[in-house]
Amino acid sequence: MEQEIELADEVPAVEWLNNDDQIEQLDLQTIANFNFNRVSSDEIIYQKKQNKCKMVGKYVMGDKLGEGSYGKVKEVLDSENLTRRAVKILAKRKLRRIPNGEMNVRNEILFLRSLKHKNVVELIDVLYNEEKQKMYLVMEYCVCVLQEMLASAPESKLPLFQAHKYFVQLIDGLEYLHGQGVIHNDIKPGNLLLTLDDTLKISDFGVAEKLELFASNDICTKGQGSPAFQPPEIANGHDSFSGSKADVWSSGVSLYNITTGLYPFEGDNIYRLLENIGKGVWSIPEGLDPLLTDLLLNMLQFDANKRYTIPQIRNHIWFNSSPIDTGNRVFVPPLKGDVSRSSTVLPYLESYHYESRQNNVYFTEHDLNEAEELARQQQMQDSSSSSHQISKKNSISNDEAYSTRESSDINKKRRTKKKFISCVSVKKLTHCRQS
Amino acid sequence: MPLFGKSQKSPAELVKALKEALKALETLKVGGDKKAEKAQEDVSKNLVSIKNMLYGTSDSEPQTDIVVSQLAQELYNSNLLLLLIQNLNRIDFEGKKDVAQVFNNVLRRQIGTRSPTVEYICTKPEILFTLMAGYDHQEIALNCGTMLRECARYEALAKIMLYSDEFFNFFQYVEVSTFDIASDAFSTFKELLTRHKILCAEFLEANYDKVFTHYQRLLNSENYVTRRQSLKLLGELLLDRHNFTVMTKYISNPDNLKLMMNMLREKSRNIQFEAFHVFKVFVANPNKPKPILEILLRNQDKLVDFLTRFHTERSEDEQFNDEKAYLIKQIKELKPIQSDGTSQSSQQQ
């Protein structure tokens, strides 16, 4: 449960002195009295924010799943049919700061609306809030991003059988996209989502391009994808390139990445990186499956004309093989300690229906400091006497609503604790503003 | 299988027993005859044993790879798969489902990069033809359908089916009066025409005339569902870039344009809407052949008027409205063919 603090009283704004004359006019007495008051830490009182149940349209908002430059992604629950969904929240204010931001979003909506395939993420609904200048893209709920799973895996790579399973689905989805005249332009593990039943979904069509219905080739000009996944022709700054071959290249880099945990091209900075891609020299780590190596060699072929097409990938022997299940599959990593990634909307609904509004929870800065101190001690003791600690922690708040799990969370993670500092209500002091 | 005592039969024994029972069943008439009943029972019993070997049961795991591969080998050698399908109508209800399950499991089997059952069926295409003919028989149509779609996932098998004469029977199967069979046949039909993009595109190009003469009948079918489904599939096929050549061929034929214009005026709004997505391709074509251009010009004012009032309630659908506006603009801007014979299209080139 996310814990936030609400401002209990409105603190009057401080009036700033703008010029010397004003200061001179001030009663010296006032200035003499104007000093910093020390406040005892147990006099600073925080109030635990209620899990406020918020609705957008017919969707009940849950916790944040991720965040990008465009805004947040939150989990939601469709209140009409109780399905889990994810919502991408786009603030116009933020979009303006990103080059082509608003264009890209328009693009994405347009593409997703017209696409329907098992391996392409489905856009369910688009909501606008004119007042807040926000846009909500409601999409299928996916349990995790492939990138996230990779990061949690040993050596940041997946066993071959699992990588194969995802790669086949990636090619299925890509073949469909190309058939619809859509070039994705930004294939990478960070844009591949996984559902609960292990289906891969291609997402993020922000920089995708649509080919003209009657275009006889697939020449693209944009190439705004992620640098590490771009083909040499883009790295070398060609004005136009074959879109489908560019997607094949990025899929090749992705395959390389998920099977080895490495990138074929690296560089200290983006210029070095692009320079290295432009040269097109890369190597296969030792011990990689020879059939897979062969496929990678053909997908990461420098010359786009010689590079494999999707039908060629489909006919490749590794694609058609089924690597043996070695029993070491990587699972979806836990989110905030929750292994099963259960719905984050439910706590909001529970507090909405079962917690009375008067049931406010207060705790002081002193409590928090103590808790932090305890946590530090606990770390030093290497959690040898954990039971004793927990009982102490519980004493921080006598309120029942303040559950054991939450309080121990504060103790364990200093980061969580810091969130409390941002909003405070200050007792006794009326003219002082906490910074 | 008894819990104690008798040890489990080996794959070879099972296959042999099943084959004998099937042979008996084939020669005997079902019903009344005790012997026939006995044969049917034996078939079902042995099928269950084979199924359990492959899938396991609630309290036993599936058999080891060695046993399964022995079983598969016996199935190939004894030609039992074909025999099972040929006699599918004689097997009881549960048994029919078991046949499909066994068949699909064995089909999916892989050894390294090879799929032995796919290779085996390639050498015995009768299996596929018998399965396709299954749509003629109500009682086994759906079982055959599940097996066919599993086969269609493999390019080699899909190719055999597409290029066979039997494929064209699908144009009848999708229209049969039994709804569940017709729609099952349609999903198999669609799978065959869309699954393997390059194969399908080549097939459609090579057999363009034959396929689309048949297809025309589906579009003119008296059955609403057939009309609607086939129109939708047509749109999907034409708008898939893999079928670019087929699409350009289709939209140069004035008869096809006339048909779509008529379908735009159908009673059903769903059909109107699907027809719109095919019609738009004719108009968007930058190189319209003369006959197409003439038809559009003849109806220029009427079309603009018609499209302006077409499905105006879809105000939410941005893409549809954009496309509609684009079509209206295109049609308004159409120029008649000039007297010196240069058409609008050749000017553009």
Side-chain angles (χ1 to χ4, degrees), chain B residues 300-341:
Chain B
Q300 197 170 20
D301 296 338
K302 271 191 245 165
L303 275 170
V304 170
D305 194 40
F306 177 82
L307 286 173
T308 317
R309 284 180 288 113
F310 185 73
H311 286 222
T312 41
E313 80 288 353
R314 288 183 198 267
S315 54
E316 295 270 291
D317 191 340
E318 237 176 277
Q319 202 189 357
F320 168 73
N321 286 308
D322 285 355
E323 284 177 352
K324 203 172 80 170
Y326 173 77
L327 288 197
I328 294 174
K329 184 170 166 283
Q330 286 288 309
I331 296 173
K332 269 188 187 163
E333 286 172 3
L334 284 179
K335 294 267 156 43
I337 299 159
Q338 279 154 16
S339 47
D340 59 356

Side-chain angles (χ1 to χ4, degrees), chain A residues 146-164 166 189 253-263 284-289 292 296 326-331 333:
Chain A
L146 186 56
Q147 169 99 52
E148 235 182 298
M149 178 184 269
L150 219 49
S152 75
E155 292 179 65
S156 309
K157 63 180 189 184
L158 302 178
L160 274 196
F161 77 96
Q162 199 176 356
H164 181 271
Y166 297 148
V253 178
S254 304
L255 179 61
Y256 186 102
N257 183 230
I258 60 174
T259 50
T260 65
L262 307 166
Y263 292 94
I284 294 270
E286 250 174 70
L288 196 67
D289 182 277
L292 172 58
L296 284 172
T326 38
N328 55 342
R329 68 156 295 173
V330 178
F331 292 95

Side-chain angles (χ1 to χ4, degrees), chain A residues 42-279:
Chain A
D42 54 6
E43 282 178 1
I44 302 174
I45 299 177
Y46 296 97
Q47 181 189 352
K48 183 174 161 272
K49 192 184 177 182
Q50 302 270 316
N51 269 327
K52 236 188 172 171
C53 196
K54 205 180 128 198
M55 300 269 293
V56 171
K58 59 172 182 171
Y59 302 96
V60 189
M61 304 296 276
D63 280 353
K64 192 171 78 181
L65 295 172
E67 192 159 8
S69 49
Y70 47 82
K72 289 176 197 163
V73 178
K74 281 191 175 179
E75 186 187 337
V76 295
L77 186 76
D78 186 328
S79 63
E80 282 171 12
N81 55 22
L82 302 185
T83 31
R84 278 177 104 174
R85 303 282 186 217
V87 64
K88 201 167 171 176
I89 307 170
L90 301 155
K92 262 212 173 137
R93 185 171 47 82
K94 281 186 180 166
L95 282 182
R96 281 201 209 100
R97 282 191 231 135
I98 309 165
N100 295 323
E102 284 178 85
M103 253 313 272
N104 291 353
V105 171
R106 258 187 62 90
N107 241 339
E108 171 147 30
I109 297 176
L110 212 63
F111 284 136
L112 285 178
R113 278 234 169 103
S114 60
L115 297 171
K116 192 159 177 59
H117 187 268
K118 184 162 83 33
N119 299 115
V120 176
V121 76
E122 194 187 340
L123 179 68
I124 314 266
D125 208 349
V126 181
L127 304 162
Y128 300 92
N129 185 330
E130 291 298 335
E131 202 183 315
K132 286 187 177 171
Q133 291 277 296
K134 275 183 180 174
M135 208 191 297
Y136 301 86
L137 308 189
V138 183
M139 317 220 228
E140 270 180 283
Y141 176 78
C142 290
V143 77
C144 103
V145 184
L146 186 56
Q147 169 99 52
E148 235 182 298
M149 178 184 269
L150 219 49
S152 75
E155 292 179 65
S156 309
K157 63 180 189 184
L158 302 178
L160 274 196
F161 77 96
Q162 199 176 356
H164 181 271
K165 189 174 174 188
Y166 297 148
F167 180 69
V168 169
Q169 299 185 59
L170 168 63
I171 295 300
D172 282 350
L174 211 53
E175 182 183 60
Y176 167 78
L177 290 181
H178 291 175
Q180 298 298 307
V182 173
I183 303 297
H184 187 278
N185 269 333
D186 198 13
I187 296 288
K188 57 174 180 180
N191 283 337
L192 304 175
L193 310 178
L194 295 170
T195 64
L196 285 165
D197 61 356
D198 233 8
T199 309
L200 178 133
K201 307 263 175 186
I202 301 175
S203 79
D204 202 336
F205 288 75
V207 293
E209 276 183 78
K210 174 100 182 163
L211 302 172
E212 287 290 323
L213 184 57
F214 286 91
S216 50
N217 54 37
D218 63 344
I219 295 302
C220 285
T221 50
K222 265 196 187 163
Q224 295 175 340
S226 314
F229 294 83
Q230 295 200 327
E233 54 271 24
I234 297 181
N236 286 334
H238 292 203
D239 291 337
S240 60
F241 54 91
S242 157
S244 58
K245 291 295 179 75
D247 275 351
V248 166
W249 175 280
S250 327
S251 309
V253 178
S254 304
L255 179 61
Y256 186 102
N257 183 230
I258 60 174
T259 50
T260 65
L262 307 166
Y263 292 94
F265 301 98
E266 291 187 36
D268 301 334
N269 54 48
I270 183 168
Y271 302 103
R272 280 281 157 72
L273 174 65
L274 290 178
E275 203 177 285
N276 288 339
I277 296 173
K279 286 182 203 146

Side-chain angles (χ1 to χ4, degrees), chain A residues 114 179 212 215 217 320-322, chain B residues 110 113 197 240-241 285-286 319:
Chain A
S114 60
E212 287 290 323
N217 54 37
N320 288 308
S321 71
S322 53
Chain B
Q110 273 199 320
T113 59
K197 304 290 180 192
D240 192 324
R241 283 187 68 84
N285 185 0
Q319 202 189 357

